[in-house]
Amino acid sequence: MTRFYEHPDPEDISLPRVLFALSDPARLNMVRILADRQAVNSVDLGPDTPKSTVAHHTRILREAGVTCTRPEGRNCWISLRREVLDAKFPGLLDAVLAAEQE
């Protein structure tokens, strides 16, 4: 049985949902990790965090349109939907990531 993850179409991504997804420190840290890499195995996004908590945070990011989840065997590879976010909300992701590092 293959897992399937739904992702919102670019036109359905809303600013309030994206901002909510980015408002949690754990999710923001996940986005920071994803911004530096192509794709990350979900277990590497929260190695010291319970799997259920990582799954919760990655679901919120995916449903908001911030990330893309691709199942591969027993792994879930997660990547940032940077192109979509930059096209829809130019500069938002860079501004949020830069502000967090100050």
Side-chain angles (χ1 to χ4, degrees):
M1 178 183 259
T2 303
R3 290 171 287 173
F4 175 76
Y5 295 96
E6 290 188 30
H7 302 86
D9 292 328
E11 60 271 8
D12 295 329
I13 297 173
S14 71
L15 185 58
R17 287 195 73 175
V18 169
L19 292 175
F20 172 77
L22 297 174
S23 70
D24 183 273
R27 291 191 294 269
L28 191 54
N29 187 54
M30 290 177 174
V31 169
R32 182 172 293 104
I33 292 168
L34 293 168
D36 293 334
R37 297 165 64 184
Q38 290 287 327
V40 177
N41 191 327
S42 61
V43 297
D44 295 330
L45 287 175
D48 299 326
T49 307
K51 286 184 181 180
S52 61
T53 302
V54 171
H56 168 75
H57 287 309
T58 57
R59 179 182 55 82
I60 289 174
L61 289 168
R62 179 178 44 80
E63 289 177 351
V66 176
T67 61
C68 177
T69 302
R70 178 179 49 86
E72 187 176 293
R74 296 184 67 180
N75 298 314
C76 285
W77 293 94
I78 301 176
S79 57
L80 195 58
R81 293 178 75 184
R82 181 176 276 284
E83 288 182 15
V84 172
L85 293 172
D86 286 347
K88 184 123 181 165
F89 310 111
L92 174 68
L93 193 55
D94 290 330
V96 169
L97 292 172
E100 178 62 23
Q101 293 182 6
E102 294 177 355

